[in-house]
Amino acid sequence: MMMNIPFVDLKSQYQAIKPEIDQAIANVIEDTAFIRGKYVKKFEEEFRSLYGVKHCIGVANGTDAIYIILKMLGIGAGDEVITVANSWISTSETISQTGAKPVFVDVDDYFTIDSQQIESKITTKTKAIIPVHLYGQMADMPTIKAICDKHKLFLIEDTAQAHFSEIQGKRAATIGHAATFSFYPGKNLGAYGDAGAIVTNDDALAEKCRMYANHGALIKHQHFMEGINSRLDGLQASILSAKLPYILEWTRARQQVAAWYDKALKDIEEIVLPKVRPNSKHTFHLYVILAPQRAALQDYLKQQGISTSVHYPVPLPFMPAYQYLEYTRADFPKVAHNEARILSLPIYPELGKDKIQYIAKHIKIFFDARK
Ligand SMILES: *Cc1c(COP(=O)(O)O)cnc(C)c1O
């Protein structure tokens, strides 16, 4: 029997908690608390407290969160910021927006920045490192933190895909000077539109970011500097508060889905399964395998009703936007090797075991037919 398996399923989640979400939306409209106001404050406090950080500043999206931190750390023209070659473009475009130059590093076996190659990229202009905890797995933070301490660099964690991931008992977003979250609808904790947050334990940096995100003002009409308009809105905050009590349960469900995949796929020798870094907790925003003949496999799975995706089809240094940096594929051999092979299989907390077995069965049929 043919199954229909979407890549993500935001509708089942809504149906499971519909009364709470509908109430959360109605409350904001009833109180006309659309911009700033009590629902934003409430979510910031709840997220900060559940996460275990000193400050949470709601912003318009995860991209702005990165830009605001870089700006408030004083990064700009003439500076360099080191980041990873495979990420969503937000990580590097925000570096450029400040006037600084992005410097890319290849990935390790866990799809995150190769910590062993970072030091060779540090120059007198380097000001910060932005590791990305891609797919739900943290970068090698103990090593990266030591490098930042040694060279006196700022460390900013892009945690858009790794809410509540851990390494050596430490949560993602709690190791660097500041960290960013995205609550884009498909992220592990998702709003119903664009939303993001900055977290930090640094009081002065928190205050600056809060000001800059709101036209340079903490109090209306008292502008201490020029800023931007990047605020988390009341509706999104209220929806996020309604979802927050479920996030740890949803995270466990994602890990269960990944464990089912691992078991169901382990004997298919053509593919490579995602590796989990020792002493770490992967929260599986995405379940990414390496597969030969990816395009044909995707087509075959599509015919079986299974939607898949690629994160990301073109690594950042190879995009037209970064042609001016004159990188070649030889500069990033791992990323270049993965480019045609990475394949994201469907994953969401509600994905059942029967569906995973169906997906695994069809991946096996595809490769058996080509032996
Ligand atoms: C989603 C994402 C962002 C940006 O978040 P938005 O809320 O969409 O602006 C940044 N970095 C990574 C790695 C992401 O996945």
Side-chain angles (χ1 to χ4, degrees):
M1 198 190 68
M2 170 123 153
M3 285 187 172
N4 187 24
I5 309 176
F7 182 67
V8 287
D9 181 2
L10 300 177
K11 224 168 177 172
S12 319
Q13 192 193 63
Y14 172 57
Q15 272 147 5
I17 55 167
K18 186 175 186 312
E20 287 139 275
I21 295 283
D22 292 355
Q23 187 62 52
I25 294 170
N27 288 346
V28 178
I29 299 171
E30 196 63 43
D31 293 335
T32 62
F34 301 118
I35 305 290
R36 288 157 64 86
K38 70 178 189 189
Y39 295 99
V40 173
K41 225 179 189 153
K42 179 167 177 282
F43 173 70
E44 286 179 341
E45 176 52 29
E46 287 168 351
F47 191 69
R48 183 200 73 68
S49 148
L50 179 64
Y51 214 86
V53 284
K54 246 174 124 178
H55 303 279
C56 168
I57 300 130
V59 294
N61 55 68
T63 308
D64 283 359
I66 305 171
Y67 172 70
I68 292 165
I69 293 171
L70 289 171
K71 275 299 264 196
M72 292 306 97
L73 288 173
I75 288 160
D79 296 334
E80 291 177 1
V81 177
I82 293 173
T83 191
V84 65
N86 187 36
S87 180
W88 178 239
I89 194 165
S90 300
T91 321
S92 50
E93 70 184 348
T94 48
I95 297 170
S96 304
Q97 279 159 14
T98 67
K101 179 181 153 191
V103 175
F104 295 108
V105 174
D106 205 357
V107 297
D108 57 16
D109 291 341
Y110 304 93
F111 301 117
T112 55
I113 190 167
D114 184 351
S115 59
Q116 299 308 311
Q117 292 189 42
I118 292 176
E119 279 197 295
S120 68
K121 304 283 178 115
I122 295 175
T123 70
T124 52
K125 294 176 176 172
T126 309
K127 289 286 152 50
I129 302 179
I130 311 180
V132 180
H133 305 316
L134 203 71
Y135 306 156
Q137 167 135 274
M138 287 180 71
D140 174 15
M141 291 305 285
T143 306
I144 298 168
K145 171 85 167 62
I147 293 170
C148 287
D149 289 347
K150 180 176 159 196
H151 296 271
K152 301 198 166 35
L153 304 175
F154 292 118
L155 177 54
I156 302 152
E157 298 176 66
D158 182 340
T159 320
Q161 300 191 5
H163 313 67
F164 298 93
S165 299
E166 289 177 12
I167 193 161
Q168 296 181 355
K170 289 205 175 84
R171 276 196 179 143
T174 66
I175 297 172
H177 293 92
T180 64
F181 285 96
S182 168
F183 305 118
Y184 178 83
K187 298 284 157 78
N188 287 18
L189 178 63
Y192 285 179
D194 278 313
I198 291 167
V199 303
T200 180
N201 289 319
D202 180 330
D203 300 341
L205 180 63
E207 177 156 287
K208 277 192 198 169
C209 290
R210 190 175 284 288
M211 252 190 236
Y212 189 73
N214 186 41
H215 302 289
L218 287 175
I219 300 164
K220 207 168 188 177
H221 303 306
Q222 296 193 18
H223 304 276
F224 288 93
M225 57 170 141
E226 288 183 326
I228 59 170
N229 179 358
S230 180
R231 298 177 296 224
L232 173 63
D233 82 61
L235 281 170
Q236 302 308 337
S238 191
I239 289 163
L240 289 166
S241 282
K243 285 187 168 198
L244 196 57
Y246 299 96
I247 183 63
L248 296 176
E249 181 185 321
W250 289 335
T251 300
R252 280 192 293 275
R254 283 178 180 276
Q255 291 167 323
Q256 175 61 259
V257 167
W260 284 330
Y261 266 130
D262 285 348
K263 189 153 183 272
L265 297 171
K266 72 176 186 323
D267 296 326
I268 305 176
E269 60 198 22
E270 289 85 353
I271 63 175
V272 179
L273 304 188
K275 288 188 190 59
V276 177
R277 201 183 290 284
N279 296 316
S280 80
K281 189 173 126 188
H282 192 321
T283 54
F284 290 99
H285 173 57
L286 295 167
Y287 188 92
V288 178
I289 63 169
L290 294 174
Q293 305 178 65
R294 183 182 67 197
L297 175 59
Q298 279 193 287
D299 280 349
Y300 172 76
L301 293 176
K302 185 88 235 167
Q303 286 159 27
Q304 312 312 316
I306 303 162
S307 294
T308 58
S309 191
V310 176
H311 300 84
Y312 296 91
V314 183
L316 295 171
F318 312 151
M319 295 242 179
Y322 296 107
Q323 221 163 21
Y324 74 98
L325 293 171
E326 298 184 333
Y327 284 119
T328 68
R329 279 177 168 69
D331 296 322
F332 306 98
K334 275 240 167 77
V335 149
H337 171 88
N338 294 348
E339 186 177 356
R341 293 175 176 83
I342 42 176
L343 177 65
S344 308
L345 301 179
I347 190 161
Y348 41 91
E350 300 79 10
L351 187 61
K353 196 175 181 181
D354 56 330
K355 298 219 168 74
I356 286 154
Q357 282 165 345
Y358 175 84
I359 295 165
K361 180 183 85 183
H362 281 292
I363 294 175
K364 187 163 167 28
I365 290 172
F366 174 85
F367 285 112
D368 283 350
R370 282 159 181 80
K371 277 204 165 103

